mmCIF file with all atom_site columns, all heavy atoms in Angstrom:
data_model
loop_
_atom_site.group_PDB
_atom_site.id
_atom_site.type_symbol
_atom_site.label_atom_id
_atom_site.label_alt_id
_atom_site.label_comp_id
_atom_site.label_asym_id
_atom_site.label_entity_id
_atom_site.label_seq_id
_atom_site.pdbx_PDB_ins_code
_atom_site.Cartn_x
_atom_site.Cartn_y
_atom_site.Cartn_z
_atom_site.occupancy
_atom_site.B_iso_or_equiv
_atom_site.pdbx_formal_charge
_atom_site.auth_seq_id
_atom_site.auth_comp_id
_atom_site.auth_asym_id
_atom_site.auth_atom_id
_atom_site.pdbx_PDB_model_num
ATOM 1  N N   . PRO R 1 425 ? -37.933 -39.071 36.709 1.00 90.00 ? 425 PRO R N   1
ATOM 2  C CA  . PRO R 1 425 ? -37.050 -39.070 37.843 1.00 90.00 ? 425 PRO R CA  1
ATOM 3  C C   . PRO R 1 425 ? -36.056 -37.891 37.756 1.00 90.00 ? 425 PRO R C   1
ATOM 4  O O   . PRO R 1 425 ? -35.670 -37.363 38.774 1.00 90.00 ? 425 PRO R O   1
ATOM 5  C CB  . PRO R 1 425 ? -36.310 -40.399 37.823 1.00 90.00 ? 425 PRO R CB  1
ATOM 6  C CG  . PRO R 1 425 ? -36.424 -40.874 36.416 1.00 90.00 ? 425 PRO R CG  1
ATOM 7  C CD  . PRO R 1 425 ? -37.729 -40.322 35.885 1.00 90.00 ? 425 PRO R CD  1
ATOM 8  N N   . ALA R 1 426 ? -35.765 -37.464 36.556 1.00 91.00 ? 426 ALA R N   1
ATOM 9  C CA  . ALA R 1 426 ? -34.783 -36.360 36.411 1.00 91.00 ? 426 ALA R CA  1
ATOM 10 C C   . ALA R 1 426 ? -35.312 -35.475 35.335 1.00 91.00 ? 426 ALA R C   1
ATOM 11 O O   . ALA R 1 426 ? -36.062 -35.966 34.412 1.00 91.00 ? 426 ALA R O   1
ATOM 12 C CB  . ALA R 1 426 ? -33.400 -36.878 36.075 1.00 91.00 ? 426 ALA R CB  1
ATOM 13 N N   . PHE R 1 427 ? -34.960 -34.177 35.351 1.00 89.00 ? 427 PHE R N   1
ATOM 14 C CA  . PHE R 1 427 ? -35.452 -33.257 34.364 1.00 89.00 ? 427 PHE R CA  1
ATOM 15 C C   . PHE R 1 427 ? -34.268 -32.779 33.561 1.00 89.00 ? 427 PHE R C   1
ATOM 16 O O   . PHE R 1 427 ? -33.882 -31.619 33.598 1.00 89.00 ? 427 PHE R O   1
ATOM 17 C CB  . PHE R 1 427 ? -36.240 -32.138 35.006 1.00 89.00 ? 427 PHE R CB  1
ATOM 18 C CG  . PHE R 1 427 ? -37.306 -31.578 34.086 1.00 89.00 ? 427 PHE R CG  1
ATOM 19 C CD1 . PHE R 1 427 ? -38.576 -32.127 34.076 1.00 89.00 ? 427 PHE R CD1 1
ATOM 20 C CD2 . PHE R 1 427 ? -37.074 -30.426 33.355 1.00 89.00 ? 427 PHE R CD2 1
ATOM 21 C CE1 . PHE R 1 427 ? -39.566 -31.649 33.283 1.00 89.00 ? 427 PHE R CE1 1
ATOM 22 C CE2 . PHE R 1 427 ? -38.044 -29.900 32.537 1.00 89.00 ? 427 PHE R CE2 1
ATOM 23 C CZ  . PHE R 1 427 ? -39.298 -30.464 32.498 1.00 89.00 ? 427 PHE R CZ  1
ATOM 24 N N   . ASP R 1 428 ? -33.679 -33.640 32.798 1.00 91.00 ? 428 ASP R N   1
ATOM 25 C CA  . ASP R 1 428 ? -32.602 -33.251 31.892 1.00 91.00 ? 428 ASP R CA  1
ATOM 26 C C   . ASP R 1 428 ? -32.865 -33.729 30.502 1.00 91.00 ? 428 ASP R C   1
ATOM 27 O O   . ASP R 1 428 ? -33.719 -34.633 30.262 1.00 91.00 ? 428 ASP R O   1
ATOM 28 C CB  . ASP R 1 428 ? -31.253 -33.673 32.439 1.00 91.00 ? 428 ASP R CB  1
ATOM 29 C CG  . ASP R 1 428 ? -31.189 -35.181 32.537 1.00 91.00 ? 428 ASP R CG  1
ATOM 30 O OD1 . ASP R 1 428 ? -31.452 -35.933 31.574 1.00 91.00 ? 428 ASP R OD1 1
ATOM 31 O OD2 . ASP R 1 428 ? -30.892 -35.596 33.721 1.00 91.00 ? 428 ASP R OD2 1
ATOM 32 N N   . GLU R 1 429 ? -32.091 -33.256 29.553 1.00 90.00 ? 429 GLU R N   1
ATOM 33 C CA  . GLU R 1 429 ? -32.378 -33.493 28.144 1.00 90.00 ? 429 GLU R CA  1
ATOM 34 C C   . GLU R 1 429 ? -32.443 -35.007 27.876 1.00 90.00 ? 429 GLU R C   1
ATOM 35 O O   . GLU R 1 429 ? -33.326 -35.468 27.218 1.00 90.00 ? 429 GLU R O   1
ATOM 36 C CB  . GLU R 1 429 ? -31.330 -32.802 27.304 1.00 90.00 ? 429 GLU R CB  1
ATOM 37 C CG  . GLU R 1 429 ? -31.598 -32.879 25.849 1.00 90.00 ? 429 GLU R CG  1
ATOM 38 C CD  . GLU R 1 429 ? -30.535 -32.133 25.036 1.00 90.00 ? 429 GLU R CD  1
ATOM 39 O OE1 . GLU R 1 429 ? -29.771 -31.305 25.563 1.00 90.00 ? 429 GLU R OE1 1
ATOM 40 O OE2 . GLU R 1 429 ? -30.410 -32.452 23.765 1.00 90.00 ? 429 GLU R OE2 1
ATOM 41 N N   . GLN R 1 430 ? -31.400 -35.743 28.350 1.00 92.00 ? 430 GLN R N   1
ATOM 42 C CA  . GLN R 1 430 ? -31.303 -37.173 28.089 1.00 92.00 ? 430 GLN R CA  1
ATOM 43 C C   . GLN R 1 430 ? -32.494 -37.995 28.584 1.00 92.00 ? 430 GLN R C   1
ATOM 44 O O   . GLN R 1 430 ? -33.121 -38.697 27.874 1.00 92.00 ? 430 GLN R O   1
ATOM 45 C CB  . GLN R 1 430 ? -30.024 -37.676 28.642 1.00 92.00 ? 430 GLN R CB  1
ATOM 46 C CG  . GLN R 1 430 ? -29.207 -38.523 27.722 1.00 92.00 ? 430 GLN R CG  1
ATOM 47 C CD  . GLN R 1 430 ? -28.017 -39.109 28.497 1.00 92.00 ? 430 GLN R CD  1
ATOM 48 O OE1 . GLN R 1 430 ? -27.612 -38.615 29.513 1.00 92.00 ? 430 GLN R OE1 1
ATOM 49 N NE2 . GLN R 1 430 ? -27.514 -40.229 27.926 1.00 92.00 ? 430 GLN R NE2 1
ATOM 50 N N   . THR R 1 431 ? -32.809 -37.717 29.856 1.00 93.00 ? 431 THR R N   1
ATOM 51 C CA  . THR R 1 431 ? -33.910 -38.472 30.494 1.00 93.00 ? 431 THR R CA  1
ATOM 52 C C   . THR R 1 431 ? -35.248 -38.192 29.767 1.00 93.00 ? 431 THR R C   1
ATOM 53 O O   . THR R 1 431 ? -36.032 -39.057 29.499 1.00 93.00 ? 431 THR R O   1
ATOM 54 C CB  . THR R 1 431 ? -34.022 -38.070 31.976 1.00 93.00 ? 431 THR R CB  1
ATOM 55 O OG1 . THR R 1 431 ? -32.720 -37.980 32.534 1.00 93.00 ? 431 THR R OG1 1
ATOM 56 C CG2 . THR R 1 431 ? -34.833 -39.073 32.765 1.00 93.00 ? 431 THR R CG2 1
#
Side-chain angles (χ1 to χ4, degrees):
F427 209 84
D428 58 56
E429 189 179 340
Q430 226 186 337
T431 319

